[in-house]
């Protein structure tokens, strides 16, 4: 049994989610190969080779793979994947974009966002916005799976010394091209990897008021998230959204400020170790999942909290 | 150009679902069903393309039980021209749905297929991408902006760090993200008119598609409940608890 893990990377660096995916592969058991598909991705490949438990790193270096366009990357993964028992990728926007295309090309079902490995063919995954957990079993010859990174502790980034091997695959399929991207800039930790997350909702009132959360977050070394209501109201960019349709986080501490706690939001954060809710509505559903609830005006409580921590 | 929109009948997003006592699934008896929210956004985008003169015909398709006709009628009331129901009483996996949609695409020859990025019941986020592989079309997933320009469509996508724009050759597949648009409501006259619009019913067998699956659900459980928390009186007490009791700061 050999497992192919698709690396999540920016060509220059490996994304943390890759480590969680390798950890899931270790639970399945077997040799683990990591595929780094990109352009000038030597640095990412070197980082992948150092991950503890990785037996081999395959590098497909081609300008066609630079921006992870699924029309180009999926045929490569499907071709290489034929000799593996499992193909795993992190359930990031790239993983979700590419892997179903791989599964269909291999004519097998795909299993999305597993949170635990029961055995080599049986996995648990949340459905209905995390309101139910399904245990599913696959009889497919090749099991194609995306991994929810918050469900697995990261594999050690150092300690491995895997061989790096160059591979090649189909060139540009000529169906799509990269036009441009606009990445939100932030000095704070990445939302999905942060130990502490401070999130704001509709109760923040406007985008300017998020400065109170940024100040608190900087003091705590935390990432800042938001509910869908705050994103839709234009307070903050949408890559800050925590929830069923945004990012899934499971930090040590999640501080929900001015967030009512709709089920779609809870789906994105209810596996946090400790949840704190600050809301002036004591009936808000967020208090049903909060370990510590404070019924207070956030504009008084947040600055005071910032002063005291 | 012709636009094909795929929609799904799912439990209404406001319903708090309950797991059945025998762990065979969630209890959907007598629960309100609706069109999946991402599918509503897909229908809205198609209607806007028609209003701009880009789309000439909107065909809406669903795969599901006979009752899914309700969701097709809703789409017709919102502005779709005709509907296709691929009737199947079984709950189908994404790959089977993608294969059925491929058969519909082969028949209808649309220039653009628009569908939601994920259904809020299975939370799979697979079907559009799978249809991309089966048809060989380019895919613009998690779209927050769609612009048809000549024989290409420019799709701005929501990715983890921000936004990415790709250009796809037509025909192409677009899956919608939440911020693509704000879906309209169906007006009463349009709901009445929708009853007269054509709705064709076919079966998977007639399309020559096998819907067998390699994945089976062994059980469905309720998630582990969080133990009840406490309310603190002041910020000072909160900080004290976080430092000394929870030890997280």
């Amino acid at each position: 049994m050999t497992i192919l893990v698709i690396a999540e990377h920016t060509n220059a660096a490996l994304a943390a989610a890759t480590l969680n995916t390798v950890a899931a592969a270790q639970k399945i058991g077997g040799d683990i190969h990591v595929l780094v598909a990109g352009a000038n991705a030597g640095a990412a490949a070197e980082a992948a080779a150092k991950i503890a438990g990785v037996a081999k790193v395959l590098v497909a270096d081609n300008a066609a793979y630079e921006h992870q366009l699924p029309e180009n990357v999926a045929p490569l993964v499907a071709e290489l994947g034929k000799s593996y028992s499992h193909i795993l990728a992190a359930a990031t926007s790239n993983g979700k974009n590419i892997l179903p295309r791989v599964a269909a090309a291999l004519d097998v079902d795909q299993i999305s966002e597993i949170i635990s490995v029961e055995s080599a063919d049986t996995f648990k995954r949340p459905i209905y916005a995390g309101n139910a957990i399904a245990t599913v079993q696959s009889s497919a010859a090749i099991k194609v799976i995306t991994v929810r990174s918050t469900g697995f502790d990261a594999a050690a980034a150092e300690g491995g010394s895997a061989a790096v091997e160059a591979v090649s695959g189909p060139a540009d399929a000529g169906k799509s091209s990269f036009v441009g991207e606009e990445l939100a800039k932030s000095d704070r930790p990445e939302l999905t990897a942060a130990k502490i997350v401070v999130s704001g909702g509709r109760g923040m009132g406007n985008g300017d008021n998020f400065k109170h959360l940024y100040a608190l977050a900087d003091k705590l070394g935390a990432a800042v998230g938001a509910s869908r209501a705050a994103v839709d109201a234009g307070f903050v960019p949408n890559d800050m959204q925590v929830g069923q349709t945004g990012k899934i986080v499971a930090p040590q501490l999640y501080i929900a400020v001015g967030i009512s706690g709709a089920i779609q939001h809870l789906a994105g954060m209810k596996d946090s170790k400790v949840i704190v809710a600050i809301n002036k509505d004591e009936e808000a559903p967020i208090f049903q999942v909060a370990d510590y609830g404070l019924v207070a005006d956030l504009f008084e409580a947040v600055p005071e909290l910032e002063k005291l921590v | 150009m012709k636009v094909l929109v795929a929609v799904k009948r799912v439990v209404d997003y406001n319903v708090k679902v309950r797991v059945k006592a025998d762990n065979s699934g969630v209890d959907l008896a007598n629960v309100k069903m609706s069109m999946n929210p991402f599918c509503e956004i897909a229908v809205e985008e198609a209607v806007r393309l028609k209003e701009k003169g880009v789309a000439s015909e909107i065909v809406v398709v669903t795969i599901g039980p006979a009752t899914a006709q309700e969701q097709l009628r809703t789409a017709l009331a919102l502005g779709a021209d005709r509907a296709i129901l691929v009737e199947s009483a079984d709950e189908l996996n994404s790959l089977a749905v993608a294969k059925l949609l491929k058969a519909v695409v082969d028949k209808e020859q649309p220039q653009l297929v628009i569908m939601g990025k994920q259904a809020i019941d299975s939370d799979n986020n697979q079907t559009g991408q799978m249809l991309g592989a089966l048809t060989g079309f380019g895919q613009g997933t998690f779209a927050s902006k769609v612009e048809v320009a000549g024989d290409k469509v420019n799709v701005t996508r929501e990715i983890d760090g921000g936004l990415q724009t790709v250009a796809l050759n037509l025909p192409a597949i677009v899956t919608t993200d939440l911020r693509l648009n704000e879906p309209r409501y169906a007006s009463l006259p349009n709901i009445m008119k929708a009853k007269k619009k054509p709705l064709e019913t076919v079966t998977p067998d007639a399309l020559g598609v096998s819907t067998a699956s390699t994945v089976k659900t062994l059980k469905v459980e309720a998630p582990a409940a969080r133990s009840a928390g406490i309310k603190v009186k002041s910020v000072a007490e909160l900080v004290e608890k976080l430092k000394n009791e929870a030890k997280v700061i």
Side-chain angles (χ1 to χ4, degrees):
Chain A
M1 208 158 61
T2 317
I3 302 167
L4 183 64
V5 170
I6 315 303
E8 171 84 15
H9 65 92
T10 59
N11 292 312
L14 203 62
T18 308
L19 300 175
N20 306 88
T21 313
V22 169
Q26 286 170 337
K27 292 232 160 102
I28 294 169
D31 278 353
I32 299 170
H33 295 181
V34 174
L35 169 67
V36 178
N40 300 317
E46 269 173 46
K50 287 191 193 133
I51 303 173
V54 172
K56 199 200 285 185
V57 174
L58 308 174
V59 189
D61 220 302
N62 188 321
Y65 309 143
E66 183 176 2
H67 298 287
Q68 306 287 322
L69 295 177
E71 297 80 8
N72 300 341
V73 175
L76 166 77
V77 177
E79 189 52 45
L80 291 171
K82 281 179 186 157
S83 48
Y84 289 87
S85 62
H86 296 72
I87 304 175
L88 267 58
T92 53
S93 57
N94 274 331
K96 293 182 200 173
N97 196 23
I98 293 166
L99 225 56
R101 200 167 170 116
V102 171
L106 292 168
D107 195 25
V108 293
D109 291 291
Q110 191 217 285
I111 301 175
S112 293
E113 303 219 19
I114 61 162
I115 53 169
S116 92
V117 172
E118 303 296 297
S119 71
D121 66 359
T122 308
F123 310 92
K124 285 193 177 180
R125 61 176 301 262
I127 53 175
Y128 290 92
N131 286 305
I133 307 294
T135 305
V136 295
Q137 188 175 45
S138 168
S139 58
I142 305 171
K143 292 160 185 70
V144 181
I145 297 164
T146 60
V147 175
R148 182 174 283 191
S149 52
T150 57
F152 299 88
D153 294 331
E158 301 286 335
S161 56
V164 178
E165 185 183 303
V167 294
S168 60
D172 195 331
K175 287 173 182 151
S176 56
S177 55
F178 172 82
V179 177
E181 63 190 1
E182 252 177 85
L183 300 180
K185 288 198 176 64
S186 173
D187 300 330
R188 295 187 188 85
E190 203 217 335
L191 196 50
T192 51
K195 291 247 180 324
I196 302 178
V197 173
V198 181
S199 273
R202 199 195 303 275
M204 297 305 297
N206 60 47
D208 190 43
N209 285 336
F210 264 74
K211 67 178 184 235
H212 298 297
L213 299 190
Y214 295 136
L216 175 62
D218 288 342
K219 198 117 180 237
L220 291 167
V224 179
S227 70
R228 183 187 163 191
V231 171
D232 282 352
F235 298 174
V236 290
N238 54 38
D239 58 314
M240 283 170 63
Q241 183 182 321
V242 172
Q244 183 186 17
T245 57
K247 298 207 170 126
I248 313 287
V249 301
Q252 294 288 305
L253 173 61
Y254 188 90
I255 305 178
V257 181
I259 293 177
S260 65
I263 52 176
Q264 292 83 0
H265 185 75
L266 300 184
M269 46 64 81
K270 69 185 165 64
D271 293 323
S272 306
K273 186 161 171 268
V274 175
I275 298 173
V276 169
I278 300 175
N279 203 305
K280 63 181 176 190
D281 174 13
E282 66 178 308
E283 302 296 322
I286 190 79
F287 286 119
Q288 290 164 20
V289 299
D291 299 280
Y292 302 106
L294 176 64
V295 180
D297 183 348
L298 68 95
F299 295 107
E300 287 165 20
V302 173
E304 194 185 342
L305 184 58
E306 189 216 325
K307 238 176 275 165
L308 290 176
V309 294
Chain B
M1 67 179 191
K2 190 194 271 190
V3 178
L4 183 73
V5 181
V7 301
K8 186 177 184 185
R9 174 184 171 89
V10 298
V11 64
D12 189 89
Y13 73 97
N14 283 312
V15 172
K16 182 131 173 56
V17 295
R18 280 216 316 270
V19 171
K20 285 187 198 165
D22 65 358
N23 293 118
S24 62
V26 297
D27 194 354
L28 295 180
N30 305 316
V31 167
K32 186 184 176 202
M33 305 294 278
S34 300
M35 192 192 296
N36 180 43
F38 292 101
C39 303
E40 288 183 353
I41 294 170
V43 172
E44 175 67 29
E45 195 64 19
V47 173
R48 289 186 189 190
L49 286 173
K50 194 174 178 194
E51 286 167 349
K52 277 191 229 160
V54 175
S56 51
E57 187 188 23
I58 302 169
V59 181
V60 60
V61 57
T62 194
I63 293 152
T67 45
Q69 285 192 25
E70 289 168 28
Q71 279 63 46
L72 290 176
R73 291 290 173 203
T74 303
L76 292 170
L78 292 169
D81 296 295
R82 60 190 173 86
I84 302 169
L85 168 65
V86 181
E87 195 172 331
S88 167
D90 304 325
E91 202 171 312
L92 301 178
N93 278 326
S94 302
L95 184 62
V97 172
K99 285 179 177 174
L100 290 166
L101 290 176
K102 160 78 163 59
V104 174
V105 166
D106 286 347
K107 210 166 123 209
E108 295 288 338
Q109 299 285 321
Q111 284 292 292
L112 193 60
V113 180
I114 312 181
M115 51 206 293
K117 79 163 177 181
Q118 76 187 64
I120 59 164
D121 51 0
S122 60
D123 283 336
N124 271 333
N125 195 333
Q126 299 173 0
T127 309
Q129 295 90 313
M130 287 181 157
L131 182 61
L134 299 178
T135 56
F137 297 173
Q139 67 187 50
T141 52
F142 327 144
S144 62
K145 194 171 163 199
V146 175
E147 277 176 334
V148 177
D151 59 353
K152 285 190 192 299
V153 56
N154 287 317
V155 180
T156 300
R157 311 176 49 234
E158 297 197 0
I159 58 169
D160 286 336
L163 299 170
Q164 179 194 62
T165 304
V166 293
L168 308 172
N169 296 349
L170 293 173
I173 296 164
V174 169
T175 75
T176 63
D177 215 321
L178 279 171
R179 272 158 291 274
L180 181 58
N181 60 48
E182 182 104 0
R184 70 192 68 190
Y185 291 99
S187 67
L188 189 58
N190 285 344
I191 293 171
M192 300 310 289
K193 274 185 227 159
K195 291 186 178 166
K196 295 207 176 75
K197 288 186 179 175
L199 192 158
E200 178 195 350
T201 300
V202 293
T203 62
D205 285 346
L207 292 171
V209 174
S210 157
T211 56
S213 168
T214 52
V215 174
K216 64 175 180 193
T217 300
L218 301 181
K219 64 178 170 189
V220 175
E221 301 158 290
R226 290 188 76 92
S227 53
I230 56 161
K231 290 246 173 84
V232 292
K233 298 258 181 319
S234 68
V235 174
E237 188 188 349
L238 175 64
V239 172
E240 191 272 321
K241 296 269 191 210
L242 290 176
K243 278 188 175 151
N244 302 324
E245 198 174 278
K247 298 190 195 330
V248 284
I249 57 172

